[in-house]
Amino acid sequence: MRSAVPSEIADWFAGRGWHVRRHQLDMLAASDAGRHALLVADTGAGKTLAGFLPTLADFTPSRLDGTEPPEGLHTLYVSPLKALAHDVQRNLLTPIEEIGLPIRVETRSGDTPSDRKKRQRMRPPHVLLTTPESLSLLLSYPDSFELFHGLKRIVIDEVHAFATGKRGDLLALALSRLQAIAPRMQRAALSATLANPQGFREWLAPLSTGEQGEVDAVQLLEGEAGAAAEVEILLPDEERVPWGGHAAIWAIPQLYERIRTNRTTLIFTNTRFLAEYVFQNLWDVNEDNLPIGVHHGSLSKEARRKVEAAMARGELRALVATASLDLGVDWGDIDLVVQMGAPKGSSRLLQRIGRANHRLDQPS
């Protein structure tokens, strides 16, 4: 019998004053049993680390037992956002480097230079972080069999964000192709907000038929409950909300005061125009010259990476963003999230609220 958690990983958790959560242990156990798994857990519960725990375990000296680390592509990570993939890469490199695991991690998206994409096909990393579109392109190449034949695991993050739409259909086709190339590949999916977990289990891996009839191939795992969110509506101090306009510019002075009194504020808008408009209006009242940034999909790759790195280092007091940053991005220093205008659905609002105090035991 294998130990539940390799000693190297357990020591790393202990060194940080953490403990391995039950749902993280369950993900490792499901992988050891050869099962597909769907994890539903609150924001800040360590879902991403749970998804990668079996991969990290496979590269620990105690499990390698003197053998050489496996070569070739071991794990695929698929996310709906390029920014999320880059954020996961930053966070994943920390345990890999501190534990000293021989794992190479790279991202692949529309922003990746062509020479790196070519090299990734010839000498793939152990872990590749990508999007559904980039994965489909990889599968279209004649050498896709050589690239994926040794694939052990695929982790689909924020599965609720695209599984029910066209991107989910595209990814479902890619999953079938990958399973045909690598029959022993395990599928794992992660989410904080699922109204119908059974439907997502069937999307992740269809029911199989055996002696007992139809059997669900996916094990459903649930995380520990987190602290309840604190939500309030910002009302005008004196005047009524204007009848005309949709940008809530009347709230800019109050919003700026919230930015001044909080460590880091993340402001979400529903359109790129509104992100730029709110950003400009905040700078017009920024008498303290606070570092305030903007992030959306129309900005250049260099501008987006610069802002993301500044947020990761805790250098910004506020960031105005669109949906380009509302899923899974783990910046623990954010203590306030503001939604400008009505969000497009309650699950999206929950995801955005969860960016604040990105810890299970603290209210967002």
Side-chain angles (χ1 to χ4, degrees):
M1 283 289 290
R2 294 179 177 180
S3 60
V5 179
S7 58
E8 299 89 346
I9 296 177
D11 291 344
W12 179 77
F13 270 87
R16 289 184 158 236
W18 298 346
H19 67 276
V20 184
R21 297 190 181 275
R22 172 183 50 77
H23 57 270
Q24 293 172 330
L25 289 171
D26 290 344
M27 285 291 280
L28 184 58
S31 175
D32 287 346
R35 297 287 306 277
H36 306 306
L38 170 62
L39 173 60
V40 182
D42 284 349
T43 294
K47 294 188 299 298
T48 305
L49 184 55
F52 280 110
L53 198 57
T55 302
L56 299 179
D58 281 353
F59 285 83
T60 56
S62 58
R63 288 209 173 181
L64 289 173
D65 196 24
T67 61
E68 289 295 318
E71 283 298 323
L73 188 59
H74 181 286
T75 298
L76 268 175
Y77 168 88
V78 180
S79 77
L81 300 177
K82 291 183 283 188
L84 178 54
H86 285 275
D87 181 67
V88 167
Q89 183 187 30
R90 281 193 296 266
N91 293 328
L92 186 59
L93 289 176
T94 299
I96 289 174
E97 292 173 354
E98 293 183 356
I99 300 173
L101 301 177
I103 303 178
R104 288 182 291 109
V105 182
E106 295 184 12
T107 61
R108 184 187 180 95
S109 67
D111 293 340
T112 306
S114 57
D115 58 336
R116 188 184 306 167
K117 288 182 177 179
K118 183 178 180 180
R119 195 256 306 148
Q120 287 173 345
R121 289 167 54 196
M122 297 176 62
R123 185 174 178 266
H126 299 109
V127 177
L128 184 63
L129 315 176
T130 189
T131 60
E133 292 77 15
S134 291
L135 174 58
S136 294
L137 283 173
L138 274 175
L139 283 167
S140 70
Y141 290 115
D143 58 358
S144 61
F145 185 88
E146 288 75 16
L147 177 62
F148 293 113
H149 78 277
L151 186 65
K152 304 292 191 300
R153 185 172 181 81
I154 185 168
V155 180
I156 303 166
D157 206 354
E158 307 294 354
V159 65
H160 65 276
F162 53 87
T164 57
K166 292 181 180 178
R167 299 181 80 196
D169 296 339
L170 182 72
L171 183 54
L173 291 172
L175 287 172
S176 296
R177 174 64 177 156
L178 286 171
Q179 201 77 61
I181 296 173
R184 300 184 65 181
M185 179 192 75
Q186 295 174 1
R187 309 181 188 189
L190 317 171
S191 179
T193 51
L194 286 186
N196 176 25
Q198 181 57 34
F200 283 87
R201 291 169 77 179
E202 294 175 6
W203 175 88
L204 183 61
L207 297 172
S208 59
T209 304
E211 295 180 0
Q212 306 295 326
E214 287 192 332
V215 178
D216 201 320
V218 179
Q219 186 173 350
L220 177 62
L221 306 175
E222 296 184 1
E224 306 164 37
E230 297 176 359
V231 184
E232 60 179 291
I233 299 175
L234 184 63
L235 298 174
D237 290 331
E238 299 176 0
E239 301 179 359
R240 292 176 177 270
V241 176
W243 286 106
H246 65 281
I249 298 306
W250 58 267
I252 290 295
Q254 291 171 266
L255 178 57
Y256 182 68
E257 287 303 313
R258 296 295 181 100
I259 293 172
R260 290 182 61 189
T261 56
N262 284 277
R263 186 171 57 247
T264 308
T265 301
L266 188 54
I267 303 156
F268 282 110
T269 65
N270 292 330
T271 66
R272 297 171 183 178
F273 162 76
L274 194 54
E276 293 281 357
Y277 192 45
V278 171
F279 171 68
Q280 183 59 56
N281 277 270
L282 282 173
W283 267 106
D284 289 344
V285 300
N286 189 8
E287 298 176 353
D288 303 287
N289 202 31
L290 301 177
I292 301 174
V294 63
H295 189 289
H296 57 73
S298 291
L299 295 174
S300 67
K301 177 185 69 174
E302 292 75 18
R304 283 182 277 117
R305 295 291 175 267
K306 182 179 179 180
V307 168
E308 292 163 15
M311 278 294 286
R313 294 191 299 266
E315 295 174 355
L316 295 182
R317 290 291 297 275
L319 178 61
V320 186
T322 60
S324 58
L325 288 180
D326 67 357
L327 293 171
V329 179
D330 184 10
W331 291 321
D333 289 336
I334 295 172
D335 48 3
L336 177 66
V337 167
V338 178
Q339 168 67 40
M340 299 288 281
K344 296 180 179 179
S346 57
S347 63
R348 174 160 288 184
L349 179 62
L350 288 172
Q351 285 288 339
R352 292 176 173 182
I353 290 172
R355 299 312 104 211
N357 290 331
H358 201 249
R359 301 172 184 87
L360 189 65
D361 56 350
Q362 294 187 19
S364 296

